Amino acid sequence: MSARAKSDETMSLHREAVRTARSVVVKIGTTALTTPTGEFDSGRLHHLVDAIEARMKAGSDVVIVSSGAIAAGIEPLGLTRRPTDLATKQAAASVGQVALVNSWSAAFARYQRTVGQVLLTAHDISMRVQHTNAQRTLDRLRALHAIAIVNENDTVATNEIRFGDNDRLSALVAHLVGADALILLSDVDGLYDSDPRKVDARFISEVAGPDDLTGVSAGRGSHLGTGGMESKLSAALLASDAGVPVLLAAAADAATALDDASVGTVFAPRAERMSARRFWVRYAAESAGALTLDDGAVDAVVRRRRSLLPAGITAVTGRFSGGDVVELRSHDATMVARGVVAYDAAELSTMLGRSTSDLPAEMRRPVVHADDLVAV
């Protein structure tokens, strides 16, 4: 078998993994739920529910991450376009969330299914306790056979604590619930190397690794949503790096995407799924500070996967406590890893450059243990 044939067979296996996934997160973009003029379209939502119901009848468990709250609040509030100021966005989301979840509820009621709304902020995912609570809520909803409709809590989120878009949120949720696949549905039918409206844009059906993205230029999104191909690509890479296969397809092709996964672009997952804790450290947790390392320490933690000791640290930045997540940086400020620090900033500042044997017994544990460290 040729190398190309082997590659095609491998990628077809990833489409098969999406097709047969027992647990699936489906992300619905704002443009998939609105008309070209920006009005919320319940007919489109019903079409998506039909496709999702068929997948569930085939035996899959589905969690939905739905955008569209702000767009759904535009018309009821008498607005003529998507608001740009934070307060009006939050007001539109407050009204729109009600309309959005009611629409999902009414659509699934045709199949005698119950939905539950789960609103999250970046803070909920970044803090370990809230992260675990969100996981339990989603797991319990599924155990009770209710369909979770997840959205970012735009009514209270600010620019500082936003996920930025629901694409990233869907990737985080996919790992949070231990999903077997993530399906991103929007107004584009897959990944292109440039704007698909250009005649010379090349469609990319499979992404096996970084080499397949050479020369790809991703755009930022529409006036109605906060995503765009840039955020979808970022989310797909985040999920696939965590070990979750991803399918990016058009909402118009939802039935096919959810049936045999033969449309769109498939992203191959890493061979080994990342543990929940390591995923949280790398992607979900907010950084509380930074440690600057010498070259020897960088080599130890990145290449040899060793614990970080005080002798290799040259500087401490930020105010943090033991148990917080910090960035580990090289001398030129490049982030090379993230990890859970064992000491607070003030205590650690007294330990810089010192050999473990020169420290009191209570300070001889690693600054960041190898089990709590993830190279980036």
Side-chain angles (χ1 to χ4, degrees), residues 25-116:
V25 171
V26 179
K27 188 269 176 177
I28 312 295
T30 296
T31 53
L33 298 174
T34 55
T35 66
T37 58
E39 296 177 354
F40 185 78
D41 187 345
S42 60
R44 295 191 180 203
L45 186 144
H46 279 243
H47 169 74
L48 290 167
V49 166
D50 292 340
I52 293 169
E53 173 64 20
R55 179 62 181 251
M56 290 191 294
K57 281 185 176 177
S60 293
D61 182 26
V62 177
V63 172
I64 298 170
V65 177
S66 175
S67 297
I70 294 177
I74 291 176
E75 183 179 3
L77 289 175
L79 304 174
T80 57
R81 57 187 175 86
R82 182 184 175 90
T84 56
D85 66 289
L86 182 59
T88 309
K89 284 182 181 179
Q90 292 172 328
S94 177
V95 172
Q97 284 288 5
V98 176
L100 183 64
V101 76
N102 283 342
S103 294
W104 281 110
S105 182
F108 273 114
R110 296 176 299 148
Y111 298 107
Q112 291 74 53
R113 293 193 184 271
T114 300
V115 306

Coordinates of all heavy atoms in Angstrom, one line a residue, residues 25-116:
V25 N -20.3 16.1 21.1 CA -20.6 17.5 21.3 C -20.9 18.1 19.9 O -20.0 18.0 19.1 CB -19.5 18.2 22.1 CG1 -19.8 19.7 22.1 CG2 -19.4 17.7 23.5
V26 N -22.0 18.8 19.8 CA -22.3 19.5 18.5 C -22.4 21.0 18.8 O -23.2 21.4 19.6 CB -23.7 19.0 17.9 CG1 -24.0 19.7 16.7 CG2 -23.6 17.5 17.7
K27 N -21.6 21.7 18.1 CA -21.6 23.2 18.3 C -22.3 23.8 17.1 O -22.0 23.5 15.9 CB -20.1 23.7 18.3 CG -20.1 25.2 18.7 CD -20.1 26.1 17.5 CE -20.1 27.6 17.9 NZ -20.0 28.5 16.7
I28 N -23.3 24.7 17.4 CA -24.1 25.3 16.4 C -23.8 26.8 16.4 O -23.9 27.5 17.5 CB -25.6 25.2 16.8 CG1 -26.0 23.7 17.1 CG2 -26.5 25.8 15.6 CD1 -25.8 22.8 15.9
G29 N -23.3 27.3 15.3 CA -23.0 28.7 15.2 C -24.2 29.6 15.0 O -25.2 29.2 14.6
T30 N -24.0 30.9 15.3 CA -25.0 31.9 15.2 C -25.6 31.9 13.8 O -26.8 32.0 13.6 CB -24.5 33.3 15.6 OG1 -24.1 33.3 16.9 CG2 -25.6 34.4 15.3
T31 N -24.7 31.9 12.8 CA -25.2 32.0 11.4 C -26.0 30.8 11.0 O -26.8 30.8 10.0 CB -24.0 32.2 10.4 OG1 -23.0 31.1 10.7 CG2 -23.3 33.5 10.6
A32 N -25.9 29.7 11.7 CA -26.7 28.5 11.4 C -28.1 28.6 11.9 O -29.0 27.8 11.5 CB -26.0 27.2 12.0
L33 N -28.3 29.6 12.7 CA -29.7 29.8 13.3 C -30.3 31.1 12.9 O -31.4 31.4 13.4 CB -29.6 29.8 14.8 CG -29.0 28.5 15.5 CD1 -28.8 28.7 17.0 CD2 -30.0 27.4 15.2
T34 N -29.7 31.8 11.9 CA -30.3 33.1 11.5 C -30.4 33.2 10.0 O -29.7 32.5 9.3 CB -29.4 34.3 12.0 OG1 -28.1 34.1 11.6 CG2 -29.4 34.3 13.5
T35 N -31.3 34.0 9.5 CA -31.4 34.3 8.1 C -30.2 35.2 7.7 O -29.5 35.7 8.5 CB -32.7 35.0 7.8 OG1 -32.6 36.3 8.4 CG2 -33.9 34.3 8.4
P36 N -30.0 35.3 6.4 CA -28.9 36.2 5.9 C -29.0 37.7 6.4 O -28.0 38.4 6.5 CB -29.1 36.2 4.4 CG -29.7 34.8 4.1 CD -30.6 34.6 5.2
T37 N -30.3 38.1 6.8 CA -30.4 39.4 7.3 C -30.3 39.5 8.8 O -30.4 40.6 9.4 CB -31.8 40.0 6.9 OG1 -32.8 39.1 7.5 CG2 -32.0 40.1 5.4
G38 N -30.0 38.4 9.4 CA -29.7 38.4 10.9 C -30.9 38.0 11.7 O -30.8 38.0 13.0
E39 N -32.1 37.7 11.2 CA -33.2 37.3 12.0 C -33.1 35.9 12.5 O -32.7 35.0 11.7 CB -34.5 37.6 11.2 CG -34.7 39.0 10.8 CD -36.0 39.2 10.0 OE1 -36.6 38.2 9.6 OE2 -36.4 40.3 9.7
F40 N -33.5 35.6 13.7 CA -33.5 34.3 14.2 C -34.5 33.4 13.4 O -35.6 33.9 13.2 CB -33.9 34.3 15.7 CG -33.8 32.9 16.4 CD1 -32.5 32.4 16.7 CD2 -34.9 32.2 16.6 CE1 -32.4 31.2 17.3 CE2 -34.8 30.9 17.2 CZ -33.6 30.4 17.5
D41 N -34.1 32.2 13.0 CA -34.9 31.4 12.2 C -35.2 30.1 12.9 O -34.3 29.2 12.9 CB -34.2 31.2 10.8 CG -35.0 30.4 9.8 OD1 -36.0 29.9 10.2 OD2 -34.6 30.4 8.6
S42 N -36.4 29.9 13.4 CA -36.7 28.7 14.1 C -36.8 27.5 13.2 O -36.6 26.3 13.6 CB -38.1 28.8 14.8 OG -39.1 29.1 13.9
G43 N -37.1 27.7 11.9 CA -37.1 26.7 10.9 C -35.7 26.0 10.8 O -35.6 24.8 10.7
R44 N -34.7 26.8 10.8 CA -33.3 26.2 10.7 C -33.0 25.4 12.0 O -32.4 24.4 11.9 CB -32.3 27.4 10.6 CG -32.4 28.1 9.2 CD -31.2 29.0 9.0 NE -31.3 29.8 7.8 CZ -30.3 30.3 7.1 NH1 -29.1 30.1 7.7 NH2 -30.4 30.9 6.0
L45 N -33.4 25.9 13.1 CA -33.2 25.2 14.4 C -33.9 23.8 14.3 O -33.4 22.8 14.7 CB -33.7 26.0 15.5 CG -33.4 25.5 16.9 CD1 -33.0 26.6 17.9 CD2 -34.6 24.7 17.5
H46 N -35.2 23.8 13.8 CA -35.9 22.6 13.7 C -35.2 21.6 12.8 O -35.2 20.4 13.1 CB -37.3 22.8 13.2 CG -38.3 23.3 14.3 ND1 -39.4 22.6 14.7 CD2 -38.2 24.4 15.1 CE1 -40.0 23.3 15.7 NE2 -39.3 24.4 15.9
H47 N -34.6 22.1 11.7 CA -33.9 21.2 10.8 C -32.7 20.6 11.5 O -32.4 19.4 11.4 CB -33.4 22.0 9.6 CG -32.4 21.3 8.7 ND1 -32.8 20.3 7.9 CD2 -31.1 21.5 8.6 CE1 -31.7 19.9 7.2 NE2 -30.6 20.6 7.7
L48 N -32.0 21.4 12.3 CA -30.9 20.8 13.1 C -31.3 19.8 14.1 O -30.6 18.8 14.3 CB -30.1 22.0 13.8 CG -29.4 23.0 12.8 CD1 -29.0 24.2 13.5 CD2 -28.1 22.3 12.2
V49 N -32.4 20.1 14.8 CA -32.9 19.2 15.8 C -33.3 17.8 15.1 O -33.0 16.8 15.7 CB -34.1 19.8 16.5 CG1 -34.9 18.7 17.3 CG2 -33.7 20.9 17.5
D50 N -33.8 17.9 14.0 CA -34.2 16.6 13.3 C -32.9 15.8 13.0 O -32.9 14.6 13.2 CB -34.8 16.9 11.9 CG -36.2 17.5 12.0 OD1 -36.8 17.4 13.1 OD2 -36.7 18.2 11.1
A51 N -31.8 16.4 12.6 CA -30.6 15.7 12.4 C -30.0 15.2 13.7 O -29.5 14.1 13.7 CB -29.6 16.7 11.7
I52 N -30.1 16.0 14.7 CA -29.5 15.6 16.0 C -30.4 14.4 16.6 O -29.8 13.4 17.2 CB -29.5 16.7 17.0 CG1 -28.5 17.8 16.5 CG2 -29.1 16.3 18.4 CD1 -28.5 19.1 17.3
E53 N -31.7 14.5 16.5 CA -32.5 13.4 16.9 C -32.2 12.1 16.2 O -32.2 11.0 16.9 CB -34.0 13.8 16.7 CG -35.0 12.7 17.0 CD -35.1 12.3 18.4 OE1 -34.6 13.0 19.3 OE2 -35.6 11.2 18.7
A54 N -32.0 12.2 14.9 CA -31.6 10.9 14.2 C -30.3 10.3 14.7 O -30.2 9.1 14.8 CB -31.5 11.3 12.7
R55 N -29.4 11.2 15.1 CA -28.1 10.7 15.6 C -28.4 10.0 17.0 O -27.8 9.0 17.3 CB -27.1 11.8 15.7 CG -25.7 11.4 16.3 CD -25.0 10.4 15.5 NE -23.8 10.0 16.0 CZ -22.6 10.3 15.5 NH1 -22.5 11.1 14.4 NH2 -21.5 9.9 16.1
M56 N -29.2 10.6 17.8 CA -29.5 10.1 19.1 C -30.3 8.8 19.0 O -30.0 7.8 19.8 CB -30.2 11.1 20.0 CG -29.4 12.3 20.4 SD -30.2 13.4 21.6 CE -31.5 14.0 20.7
K57 N -31.2 8.7 18.1 CA -31.9 7.4 17.9 C -31.0 6.3 17.4 O -31.2 5.1 17.6 CB -33.0 7.6 16.8 CG -34.3 8.3 17.4 CD -35.4 8.4 16.4 CE -36.6 9.0 17.0 NZ -37.7 9.1 16.0
A58 N -29.8 6.7 16.8 CA -28.9 5.7 16.3 C -28.0 5.3 17.5 O -27.1 4.4 17.3 CB -28.0 6.3 15.2
G59 N -28.2 5.9 18.7 CA -27.4 5.4 19.9 C -26.4 6.3 20.5 O -25.8 6.0 21.4
S60 N -26.3 7.6 19.9 CA -25.3 8.5 20.5 C -25.9 9.4 21.5 O -27.1 9.7 21.5 CB -24.7 9.4 19.3 OG -24.0 8.6 18.4
D61 N -25.1 9.8 22.4 CA -25.4 10.8 23.5 C -24.9 12.1 23.0 O -23.7 12.3 22.6 CB -24.7 10.4 24.8 CG -25.1 11.3 25.9 OD1 -26.1 11.9 25.9 OD2 -24.3 11.4 26.8
V62 N -25.7 13.2 22.9 CA -25.4 14.5 22.3 C -25.5 15.6 23.3 O -26.5 15.7 24.0 CB -26.2 14.8 21.1 CG1 -25.9 16.1 20.5 CG2 -26.1 13.7 20.0
V63 N -24.4 16.4 23.4 CA -24.5 17.7 24.1 C -24.4 18.8 23.1 O -23.5 18.7 22.2 CB -23.3 17.8 25.1 CG1 -23.2 19.2 25.7 CG2 -23.4 16.8 26.2
I64 N -25.2 19.8 23.2 CA -25.3 20.9 22.2 C -24.7 22.1 22.8 O -25.0 22.5 23.9 CB -26.7 21.2 21.8 CG1 -27.3 19.9 21.1 CG2 -26.8 22.4 20.8 CD1 -28.8 20.0 20.9
V65 N -23.7 22.7 22.1 CA -23.2 24.1 22.4 C -23.8 25.0 21.4 O -23.5 25.0 20.2 CB -21.7 24.1 22.4 CG1 -21.2 25.5 22.7 CG2 -21.1 23.1 23.4
S66 N -24.7 25.9 21.8 CA -25.5 26.7 20.9 C -25.1 28.2 21.1 O -25.2 28.8 22.1 CB -27.0 26.5 21.2 OG -27.7 27.4 20.4
S67 N -24.7 28.8 20.0 CA -24.6 30.3 19.9 C -26.0 30.8 19.6 O -27.0 30.1 19.5 CB -23.6 30.7 18.9 OG -22.3 30.2 19.2
G68 N -26.1 32.1 19.4 CA -27.3 32.7 18.9 C -28.1 33.5 19.9 O -29.1 34.1 19.6
A69 N -27.7 33.6 21.2 CA -28.5 34.3 22.2 C -28.6 35.8 21.9 O -29.6 36.4 22.0 CB -27.9 34.1 23.6
I70 N -27.4 36.4 21.6 CA -27.4 37.9 21.3 C -28.3 38.1 20.1 O -29.1 39.1 20.0 CB -26.0 38.4 21.2 CG1 -25.3 38.3 22.5 CG2 -26.0 39.9 20.7 CD1 -23.8 38.8 22.5
A71 N -28.1 37.3 19.0 CA -28.8 37.5 17.8 C -30.3 37.3 18.0 O -31.2 38.0 17.5 CB -28.4 36.5 16.7
A72 N -30.7 36.4 18.9 CA -32.1 36.1 19.2 C -32.7 37.3 20.0 O -34.0 37.4 20.0 CB -32.2 34.8 20.0
G73 N -31.9 38.1 20.7 CA -32.4 39.2 21.4 C -32.5 40.5 20.7 O -33.1 41.5 21.2
I74 N -32.0 40.5 19.4 CA -32.0 41.8 18.7 C -33.4 42.2 18.3 O -33.8 43.4 18.6 CB -31.1 41.6 17.4 CG1 -29.7 41.4 17.8 CG2 -31.3 42.8 16.5 CD1 -28.7 41.2 16.6
E75 N -34.2 41.3 17.7 CA -35.5 41.7 17.3 C -36.5 42.1 18.4 O -37.1 43.1 18.4 CB -36.1 40.6 16.4 CG -37.5 41.0 15.8 CD -38.1 39.9 15.0 OE1 -37.4 38.8 14.8 OE2 -39.2 40.1 14.4
P76 N -36.5 41.2 19.5 CA -37.4 41.6 20.6 C -37.1 42.9 21.3 O -38.0 43.6 21.8 CB -37.2 40.4 21.6 CG -36.7 39.3 20.8 CD -35.9 39.9 19.7
L77 N -35.9 43.3 21.3 CA -35.5 44.6 21.9 C -35.6 45.8 20.9 O -35.3 46.9 21.2 CB -34.1 44.5 22.4 CG -33.9 43.7 23.7 CD1 -32.4 43.6 24.0 CD2 -34.7 44.2 24.8
G78 N -36.0 45.5 19.7 CA -36.2 46.6 18.7 C -34.9 47.1 18.1 O -34.9 48.2 17.6
L79 N -33.8 46.3 18.3 CA -32.5 46.7 17.7 C -32.5 46.4 16.2 O -33.1 45.5 15.7 CB -31.4 46.0 18.4 CG -31.3 46.2 20.0 CD1 -30.2 45.3 20.5 CD2 -31.1 47.6 20.3
T80 N -31.7 47.2 15.5 CA -31.6 47.0 14.1 C -30.4 46.2 13.7 O -30.3 45.8 12.5 CB -31.6 48.4 13.3 OG1 -30.5 49.2 13.8 CG2 -32.9 49.1 13.6
R81 N -29.4 46.1 14.6 CA -28.2 45.3 14.2 C -27.6 44.8 15.5 O -28.0 45.2 16.6 CB -27.2 46.2 13.5 CG -26.8 47.5 14.2 CD -25.9 48.4 13.3 NE -25.6 49.6 14.0 CZ -24.6 49.8 14.8 NH1 -23.8 48.8 15.1 NH2 -24.4 51.0 15.4
R82 N -26.6 43.9 15.4 CA -25.9 43.4 16.6 C -25.3 44.5 17.3 O -24.5 45.3 16.8 CB -24.9 42.4 16.2 CG -24.2 41.7 17.3 CD -23.1 40.8 16.9 NE -22.3 40.2 18.0 CZ -22.6 39.1 18.6 NH1 -23.7 38.4 18.3 NH2 -21.9 38.7 19.6
P83 N -25.5 44.6 18.7 CA -24.9 45.7 19.4 C -23.4 45.6 19.5 O -22.8 44.5 19.4 CB -25.5 45.6 20.8 CG -26.0 44.1 20.9 CD -26.3 43.8 19.5
T84 N -22.7 46.7 19.7 CA -21.2 46.6 19.9 C -20.8 46.9 21.3 O -19.7 46.6 21.6 CB -20.6 47.7 18.9 OG1 -21.2 49.0 19.1 CG2 -20.9 47.3 17.4
D85 N -21.6 47.6 22.1 CA -21.2 47.9 23.4 C -21.5 46.8 24.4 O -22.5 46.1 24.1 CB -21.8 49.2 23.9 CG -23.3 49.1 24.1 OD1 -24.0 49.1 23.0 OD2 -23.8 49.0 25.2
L86 N -20.8 46.6 25.4 CA -20.9 45.4 26.3 C -22.3 45.4 27.0 O -22.9 44.3 27.0 CB -19.8 45.4 27.3 CG -19.8 44.2 28.3 CD1 -19.6 42.9 27.5 CD2 -18.6 44.4 29.3
A87 N -22.7 46.5 27.5 CA -24.0 46.5 28.2 C -25.2 46.1 27.4 O -26.0 45.3 27.8 CB -24.2 47.9 28.8
T88 N -25.2 46.6 26.1 CA -26.3 46.2 25.2 C -26.2 44.7 24.8 O -27.2 44.0 24.6 CB -26.4 47.1 24.0 OG1 -26.3 48.5 24.5 CG2 -27.6 46.9 23.2
K89 N -25.0 44.3 24.6 CA -24.8 42.9 24.3 C -25.3 42.0 25.4 O -26.0 41.0 25.2 CB -23.3 42.5 24.1 CG -22.7 43.0 22.8 CD -21.2 42.6 22.8 CE -20.5 43.0 21.5 NZ -19.1 42.6 21.5
Q90 N -25.0 42.4 26.6 CA -25.5 41.6 27.8 C -27.0 41.7 27.9 O -27.7 40.7 28.2 CB -24.9 42.1 29.1 CG -23.4 41.8 29.1 CD -22.7 42.5 30.3 OE1 -23.1 43.6 30.7 NE2 -21.7 41.8 30.8
A91 N -27.6 42.8 27.6 CA -29.1 42.9 27.6 C -29.7 42.1 26.5 O -30.7 41.4 26.8 CB -29.5 44.4 27.4
A92 N -29.1 42.1 25.3 CA -29.6 41.3 24.2 C -29.5 39.8 24.6 O -30.4 39.0 24.3 CB -28.9 41.6 23.0
A93 N -28.4 39.4 25.2 CA -28.2 38.0 25.6 C -29.3 37.6 26.6 O -29.8 36.5 26.6 CB -26.8 37.8 26.1
S94 N -29.6 38.5 27.6 CA -30.6 38.2 28.6 C -31.9 37.9 28.0 O -32.6 36.9 28.4 CB -30.7 39.4 29.5 OG -31.7 39.2 30.5
V95 N -32.3 38.7 27.0 CA -33.6 38.5 26.4 C -33.5 37.3 25.4 O -34.4 36.4 25.4 CB -34.1 39.7 25.6 CG1 -35.3 39.4 24.7 CG2 -34.3 40.9 26.5
G96 N -32.4 37.2 24.7 CA -32.2 36.2 23.7 C -32.0 34.8 24.3 O -32.5 33.8 23.7
Q97 N -31.4 34.7 25.5 CA -31.3 33.3 26.0 C -32.6 32.7 26.3 O -32.8 31.5 26.1 CB -30.5 33.4 27.4 CG -29.0 33.6 27.2 CD -28.3 32.4 26.7 OE1 -28.9 31.4 26.4 NE2 -27.0 32.5 26.7
V98 N -33.6 33.5 26.7 CA -34.9 32.9 27.0 C -35.5 32.4 25.7 O -36.0 31.3 25.6 CB -35.8 34.0 27.6 CG1 -37.3 33.4 27.8 CG2 -35.3 34.5 28.9
A99 N -35.5 33.2 24.6 CA -36.0 32.8 23.3 C -35.3 31.6 22.8 O -35.9 30.7 22.2 CB -36.0 34.0 22.4
L100 N -34.0 31.6 22.9 CA -33.2 30.5 22.3 C -33.5 29.2 23.0 O -33.7 28.2 22.3 CB -31.7 30.9 22.5 CG -30.7 29.9 21.9 CD1 -30.9 29.8 20.4 CD2 -29.2 30.3 22.2
V101 N -33.4 29.1 24.3 CA -33.7 27.8 25.0 C -35.1 27.4 24.8 O -35.4 26.2 24.7 CB -33.3 27.9 26.5 CG1 -34.3 28.7 27.3 CG2 -33.0 26.5 27.0
N102 N -36.0 28.3 24.7 CA -37.4 28.0 24.5 C -37.6 27.4 23.1 O -38.4 26.4 22.9 CB -38.4 29.2 24.6 CG -38.7 29.5 26.1 OD1 -38.5 28.7 27.0 ND2 -39.1 30.8 26.3
S103 N -36.8 27.9 22.1 CA -36.9 27.3 20.8 C -36.3 25.9 20.7 O -36.9 25.0 20.1 CB -36.1 28.2 19.8 OG -36.7 29.5 19.7
W104 N -35.2 25.7 21.4 CA -34.6 24.4 21.5 C -35.6 23.4 22.2 O -35.8 22.3 21.8 CB -33.3 24.4 22.3 CG -32.1 24.9 21.5 CD1 -31.4 26.0 21.6 CD2 -31.5 24.2 20.4 NE1 -30.4 26.1 20.7 CE2 -30.4 25.0 19.9 CE3 -31.7 22.9 19.8 CZ2 -29.6 24.6 18.9 CZ3 -30.9 22.6 18.7 CH2 -29.8 23.4 18.3
S105 N -36.2 23.9 23.3 CA -37.1 23.1 24.0 C -38.4 22.7 23.2 O -38.8 21.5 23.2 CB -37.6 23.8 25.3 OG -38.5 23.0 26.1
A106 N -38.9 23.6 22.5 CA -40.1 23.4 21.6 C -39.7 22.4 20.5 O -40.5 21.5 20.1 CB -40.6 24.7 21.0
A107 N -38.5 22.6 19.9 CA -38.2 21.7 18.8 C -37.9 20.3 19.3 O -38.4 19.3 18.6 CB -36.9 22.2 18.2
F108 N -37.3 20.1 20.4 CA -37.1 18.7 20.9 C -38.4 18.1 21.5 O -38.5 16.9 21.6 CB -36.0 18.7 22.0 CG -34.6 18.6 21.4 CD1 -33.7 19.6 21.4 CD2 -34.2 17.4 20.7 CE1 -32.4 19.5 20.9 CE2 -33.0 17.3 20.2 CZ -32.1 18.3 20.2
A109 N -39.3 19.0 21.9 CA -40.6 18.4 22.5 C -41.3 17.6 21.5 O -42.1 16.7 21.8 CB -41.4 19.6 23.0
R110 N -41.1 17.9 20.2 CA -41.7 17.1 19.1 C -41.3 15.6 19.2 O -42.0 14.7 18.7 CB -41.3 17.6 17.8 CG -41.8 19.0 17.5 CD -41.3 19.5 16.1 NE -39.8 19.6 16.1 CZ -39.1 19.3 15.0 NH1 -39.6 19.0 13.9 NH2 -37.8 19.4 15.1
Y111 N -40.1 15.4 19.9 CA -39.6 14.0 20.0 C -39.7 13.6 21.5 O -39.0 12.6 21.9 CB -38.2 13.9 19.6 CG -38.1 14.2 18.1 CD1 -37.5 15.5 17.7 CD2 -38.5 13.3 17.1 CE1 -37.4 15.7 16.3 CE2 -38.3 13.6 15.8 CZ -37.8 14.8 15.4 OH -37.7 15.1 14.0
Q112 N -40.5 14.3 22.3 CA -40.7 14.0 23.7 C -39.4 14.0 24.5 O -39.1 13.1 25.3 CB -41.4 12.6 23.9 CG -42.9 12.6 23.5 CD -43.1 12.6 22.0 OE1 -42.5 11.7 21.3 NE2 -43.8 13.5 21.5
R113 N -38.5 14.9 24.1 CA -37.3 15.1 24.8 C -37.2 16.4 25.6 O -37.8 17.4 25.2 CB -36.1 15.0 23.8 CG -35.9 13.7 23.2 CD -34.6 13.6 22.4 NE -34.4 12.4 21.7 CZ -33.9 11.2 22.2 NH1 -33.5 11.2 23.4 NH2 -33.8 10.2 21.4
T114 N -36.5 16.3 26.8 CA -36.4 17.4 27.7 C -35.0 18.0 27.5 O -34.0 17.3 27.4 CB -36.6 17.0 29.1 OG1 -37.9 16.4 29.3 CG2 -36.4 18.2 30.1
V115 N -34.9 19.4 27.6 CA -33.6 20.1 27.5 C -33.3 20.8 28.8 O -34.3 21.1 29.5 CB -33.6 21.1 26.3 CG1 -34.0 20.4 25.0 CG2 -34.5 22.3 26.5
G116 N -32.1 20.9 29.0 CA -31.6 21.7 30.2 C -30.6 22.7 29.7 O -29.8 22.4 28.9

